[in-house]
């Protein structure tokens, strides 16, 4: 190589003029196309087309200086690039040594994977999202136990005091910031699913004012520690179904076994759970737990109990690392990251399940919600647009797109999940 | 990646007469069965009621 570099004659050539002209023409074509597209979008939104297209300002998250510094990094782009890289097919004979090296570095238990032959995994992405052999994760036999949803480390747990969750010692964030405000008036469904406000519009109902919402909430909601819940209809059957339109395609229907089992479990309570949720009642409290999945862990998550998912909220957010180090140093990390908030109920009342994305992982998959797209450029653009529209209306942007699962089960008004049932997972990129 | 669970559960009440089912002789409510920093696996109990 040294000889070749030293002895090879370097000869410079002029770039052909045609190539330069072609490049400039391509740039001009791109500019014109962008301008026309912007004008069309503006017209579709009902506004006058702008004479000169204005670049949409990127919505930056609020936060301390660490967040501002990290916001300058293209973390989502890096995550997508990392995902694409990991989807490249690895040469057949490099797969076994490559995956064994990865397993050695990150502590993967290869013998637990459903596939003994590592050649089966064409790339790191498929190996990362591997399945386990049946029976290697037995469920705790106690039906009153709350199960771990994933392999990982329990970073924090406890009781929520005053609406605050402790990220690490002395560093808290508000539960509303994590799960979203209770009134999704400014939310927009980027995936085309219906939102409550959209539903009202379709049915010709007027939009409720804040006072009317309050009156309505007295009838249909109970509130504890700042979180509101729809009253359960499962104990009274379909007759009490709320007459509003639901998400059209929730593709994966819950199995009849799940529905019957979850319904039976929810009905096991000595009395309706909502009777415990009066303002004066102190019989229940809100608890939280944070489970961290390291890169070598099995990256699918399972239902911790029998429960019904009523709605999901997708916060596009950013994709910071969620490593224990950053959790210690970055306040409110979980409220900044991209996350999918699944809201519902279990036998004892409110239940929520929040997978939080990370730079090195990226996508969150929910098996029963095929319309959900996380770590997506389209979603980002839709979120930016929704923020702009909310700002134009003079309203605060809730920051999430919401969909409901009521159509999945007319009896339970949500998607029923059995304890231990696989719900989804984290994928690379 | 991280998973955050937020849920409502009965509060453990002090009941000296009852057998202790949680820390501090509390009974009847939710109590944790893990420690901070503990490794857990799918299906393992985080807590019980």
């Amino acid at each position: 190589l040294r000889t070749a570099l030293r002895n090879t004659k370097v000869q410079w050539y002029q770039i052909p003029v045609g190539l330069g002209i072609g490049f400039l023409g391509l740039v001009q074509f791109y500019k014109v196309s962008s301008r026309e597209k912007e004008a069309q979008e503006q017209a579709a939104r009902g506004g006058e087309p702008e004479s000169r297209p204005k670049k949409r300002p990127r919505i930056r998250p609020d936060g301390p200086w660490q967040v501002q510094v990290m916001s300058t990094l293209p973390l989502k782009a890096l995550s997508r690039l990392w995902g694409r890289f990991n989807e490249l097919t690895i040469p057949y004979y490099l797969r076994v040594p490559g995956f064994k090296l990865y397993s050695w570095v990150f502590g993967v238990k290869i013998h637990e994977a459903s596939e003994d032959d590592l050649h089966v995994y064409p790339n790191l992405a498929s190996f990362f999202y591997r399945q386990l052999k049946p029976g290697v994760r037995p469920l705790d036999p106690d039906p009153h136990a709350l199960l771990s949803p994933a392999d990982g480390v329990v970073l924090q747990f406890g009781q929520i005091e005053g609406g605050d969750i402790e990220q690490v010692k002395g560093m808290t964030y508000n539960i509303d910031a994590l799960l979203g405000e209770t009134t999704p008036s400014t939310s927009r469904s980027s995936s085309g699913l219906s939102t409550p406000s959209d539903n009202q519009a379709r049915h010709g109902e007027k939009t409720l004012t804040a006072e009317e919402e309050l009156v309505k909430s007295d009838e249909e909601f109970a509130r504890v520690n700042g979180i509101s819940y729809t009253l359960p209809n499962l104990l009274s059957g379909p007759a009490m179904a709320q007459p509003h339109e639901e998400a059209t395609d929730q593709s994966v229907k819950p199995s009849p076994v799940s529905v019957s089992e979850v319904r039976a479990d929810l009905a096991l309570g000595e009395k309706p759970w909502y009777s415990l949720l009066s303002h004066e009642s102190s019989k229940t409290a809100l608890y939280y737990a944070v489970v961290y999945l390291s890169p070598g862990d099995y990256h699918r998550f399972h239902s911790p109990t029998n429960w019904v998912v009523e709605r999901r909220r997708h916060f596009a957010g950013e994709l910071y690392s969620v490593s224990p180090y950053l959790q210690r140093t970055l306040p409110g990390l979980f409220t900044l990251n991209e996350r999918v908030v699944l809201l519902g109920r279990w036998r004892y009342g409110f239940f929520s399940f929040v997978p939080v994305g990370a730079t090195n992982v990226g996508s969150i998959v929910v098996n029963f919600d095929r319309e959900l797209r996380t770590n997506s450029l389209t979603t980002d653009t839709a979120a930016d647009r929704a923020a702009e529209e909310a700002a134009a209306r003079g309203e605060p942007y809730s920051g999430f797109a919401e969909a409901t699962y009521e159509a999945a089960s007319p009896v339970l008004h949500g998607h029923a999940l059995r304890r231990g049932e696989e719900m989804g997972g984290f994928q690379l990129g | 990646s991280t998973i955050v669970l937020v849920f409502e559960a009965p509060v453990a009440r002090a009941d000296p007469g009852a057998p202790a089912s949680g820390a501090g002789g509390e009974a009847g409510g939710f109590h944790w069965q893990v420690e901070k920093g503990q490794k857990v696996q799918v299906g393992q109990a985080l807590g019980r009621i």
Side-chain angles (χ1 to χ4, degrees), chain A residues 397-408:
Chain A
Y397 174 51
S398 58
F400 58 81
E402 183 169 88
T404 55
Y405 299 126
E406 192 165 343

PDB file of all heavy atoms in Angstrom, chain A residues 397-408:
ATOM      1  N   TYR A 397     -49.928  23.443  23.438  1.00  0.00           N
ATOM      2  CA  TYR A 397     -49.879  22.156  22.733  1.00  0.00           C
ATOM      3  C   TYR A 397     -49.663  21.044  23.756  1.00  0.00           C
ATOM      4  O   TYR A 397     -48.717  21.078  24.539  1.00  0.00           O
ATOM      5  CB  TYR A 397     -48.732  22.177  21.723  1.00  0.00           C
ATOM      6  CG  TYR A 397     -48.500  20.851  21.039  1.00  0.00           C
ATOM      7  CD1 TYR A 397     -49.547  20.160  20.434  1.00  0.00           C
ATOM      8  CD2 TYR A 397     -47.235  20.285  21.005  1.00  0.00           C
ATOM      9  CE1 TYR A 397     -49.335  18.959  19.813  1.00  0.00           C
ATOM     10  CE2 TYR A 397     -47.015  19.075  20.370  1.00  0.00           C
ATOM     11  CZ  TYR A 397     -48.074  18.412  19.784  1.00  0.00           C
ATOM     12  OH  TYR A 397     -47.866  17.211  19.166  1.00  0.00           O
ATOM     13  N   SER A 398     -50.569  20.067  23.715  1.00  0.00           N
ATOM     14  CA  SER A 398     -50.495  18.989  24.704  1.00  0.00           C
ATOM     15  C   SER A 398     -49.309  18.072  24.450  1.00  0.00           C
ATOM     16  O   SER A 398     -48.852  17.387  25.344  1.00  0.00           O
ATOM     17  CB  SER A 398     -51.794  18.184  24.683  1.00  0.00           C
ATOM     18  OG  SER A 398     -51.989  17.670  23.392  1.00  0.00           O
ATOM     19  N   GLY A 399     -48.831  18.038  23.223  1.00  0.00           N
ATOM     20  CA  GLY A 399     -47.619  17.293  22.937  1.00  0.00           C
ATOM     21  C   GLY A 399     -47.811  15.831  22.613  1.00  0.00           C
ATOM     22  O   GLY A 399     -46.849  15.094  22.512  1.00  0.00           O
ATOM     23  N   PHE A 400     -49.055  15.384  22.448  1.00  0.00           N
ATOM     24  CA  PHE A 400     -49.239  13.969  22.152  1.00  0.00           C
ATOM     25  C   PHE A 400     -50.358  13.753  21.149  1.00  0.00           C
ATOM     26  O   PHE A 400     -51.213  14.604  20.966  1.00  0.00           O
ATOM     27  CB  PHE A 400     -49.527  13.175  23.429  1.00  0.00           C
ATOM     28  CG  PHE A 400     -50.741  13.638  24.192  1.00  0.00           C
ATOM     29  CD1 PHE A 400     -52.011  13.246  23.815  1.00  0.00           C
ATOM     30  CD2 PHE A 400     -50.605  14.453  25.300  1.00  0.00           C
ATOM     31  CE1 PHE A 400     -53.132  13.667  24.528  1.00  0.00           C
ATOM     32  CE2 PHE A 400     -51.722  14.878  26.015  1.00  0.00           C
ATOM     33  CZ  PHE A 400     -52.978  14.483  25.629  1.00  0.00           C
ATOM     34  N   ALA A 401     -50.301  12.622  20.493  1.00  0.00           N
ATOM     35  CA  ALA A 401     -51.390  12.178  19.629  1.00  0.00           C
ATOM     36  C   ALA A 401     -52.082  11.028  20.328  1.00  0.00           C
ATOM     37  O   ALA A 401     -51.422  10.126  20.858  1.00  0.00           O
ATOM     38  CB  ALA A 401     -50.836  11.714  18.291  1.00  0.00           C
ATOM     39  N   GLU A 402     -53.380  11.059  20.348  1.00  0.00           N
ATOM     40  CA  GLU A 402     -54.123  10.084  21.154  1.00  0.00           C
ATOM     41  C   GLU A 402     -55.010   9.197  20.299  1.00  0.00           C
ATOM     42  O   GLU A 402     -55.550   9.637  19.281  1.00  0.00           O
ATOM     43  CB  GLU A 402     -54.980  10.823  22.181  1.00  0.00           C
ATOM     44  CG  GLU A 402     -55.730   9.895  23.100  1.00  0.00           C
ATOM     45  CD  GLU A 402     -56.355  10.639  24.271  1.00  0.00           C
ATOM     46  OE1 GLU A 402     -57.485  11.107  24.110  1.00  0.00           O
ATOM     47  OE2 GLU A 402     -55.711  10.752  25.319  1.00  0.00           O
ATOM     48  N   ALA A 403     -55.132   7.960  20.697  1.00  0.00           N
ATOM     49  CA  ALA A 403     -56.065   7.037  20.053  1.00  0.00           C
ATOM     50  C   ALA A 403     -56.724   6.199  21.137  1.00  0.00           C
ATOM     51  O   ALA A 403     -56.150   5.998  22.202  1.00  0.00           O
ATOM     52  CB  ALA A 403     -55.335   6.142  19.070  1.00  0.00           C
ATOM     53  N   THR A 404     -57.920   5.731  20.860  1.00  0.00           N
ATOM     54  CA  THR A 404     -58.622   4.904  21.832  1.00  0.00           C
ATOM     55  C   THR A 404     -58.791   3.493  21.297  1.00  0.00           C
ATOM     56  O   THR A 404     -58.796   3.275  20.091  1.00  0.00           O
ATOM     57  CB  THR A 404     -60.013   5.494  22.160  1.00  0.00           C
ATOM     58  OG1 THR A 404     -60.724   5.667  20.932  1.00  0.00           O
ATOM     59  CG2 THR A 404     -59.880   6.817  22.871  1.00  0.00           C
ATOM     60  N   TYR A 405     -58.942   2.554  22.206  1.00  0.00           N
ATOM     61  CA  TYR A 405     -59.053   1.142  21.826  1.00  0.00           C
ATOM     62  C   TYR A 405     -60.443   0.585  22.139  1.00  0.00           C
ATOM     63  O   TYR A 405     -60.588  -0.612  22.286  1.00  0.00           O
ATOM     64  CB  TYR A 405     -58.021   0.308  22.584  1.00  0.00           C
ATOM     65  CG  TYR A 405     -56.597   0.687  22.304  1.00  0.00           C
ATOM     66  CD1 TYR A 405     -55.724   1.007  23.331  1.00  0.00           C
ATOM     67  CD2 TYR A 405     -56.113   0.719  21.009  1.00  0.00           C
ATOM     68  CE1 TYR A 405     -54.406   1.349  23.075  1.00  0.00           C
ATOM     69  CE2 TYR A 405     -54.812   1.065  20.740  1.00  0.00           C
ATOM     70  CZ  TYR A 405     -53.959   1.375  21.771  1.00  0.00           C
ATOM     71  OH  TYR A 405     -52.666   1.711  21.515  1.00  0.00           O
ATOM     72  N   GLU A 406     -61.405   1.456  22.261  1.00  0.00           N
ATOM     73  CA  GLU A 406     -62.713   1.003  22.701  1.00  0.00           C
ATOM     74  C   GLU A 406     -63.310  -0.021  21.732  1.00  0.00           C
ATOM     75  O   GLU A 406     -64.025  -0.934  22.145  1.00  0.00           O
ATOM     76  CB  GLU A 406     -63.663   2.188  22.864  1.00  0.00           C
ATOM     77  CG  GLU A 406     -64.934   1.805  23.580  1.00  0.00           C
ATOM     78  CD  GLU A 406     -65.718   3.003  24.059  1.00  0.00           C
ATOM     79  OE1 GLU A 406     -65.133   4.099  24.122  1.00  0.00           O
ATOM     80  OE2 GLU A 406     -66.896   2.834  24.375  1.00  0.00           O
ATOM     81  N   ALA A 407     -62.986   0.121  20.445  1.00  0.00           N
ATOM     82  CA  ALA A 407     -63.556  -0.797  19.454  1.00  0.00           C
ATOM     83  C   ALA A 407     -63.007  -2.211  19.596  1.00  0.00           C
ATOM     84  O   ALA A 407     -63.584  -3.158  19.085  1.00  0.00           O
ATOM     85  CB  ALA A 407     -63.267  -0.276  18.049  1.00  0.00           C
ATOM     86  N   ALA A 408     -61.878  -2.358  20.291  1.00  0.00           N
ATOM     87  CA  ALA A 408     -61.266  -3.690  20.395  1.00  0.00           C
ATOM     88  C   ALA A 408     -62.162  -4.658  21.146  1.00  0.00           C
ATOM     89  O   ALA A 408     -62.205  -5.844  20.846  1.00  0.00           O
ATOM     90  CB  ALA A 408     -59.910  -3.581  21.082  1.00  0.00           C
TER      91      ALA A 408
END
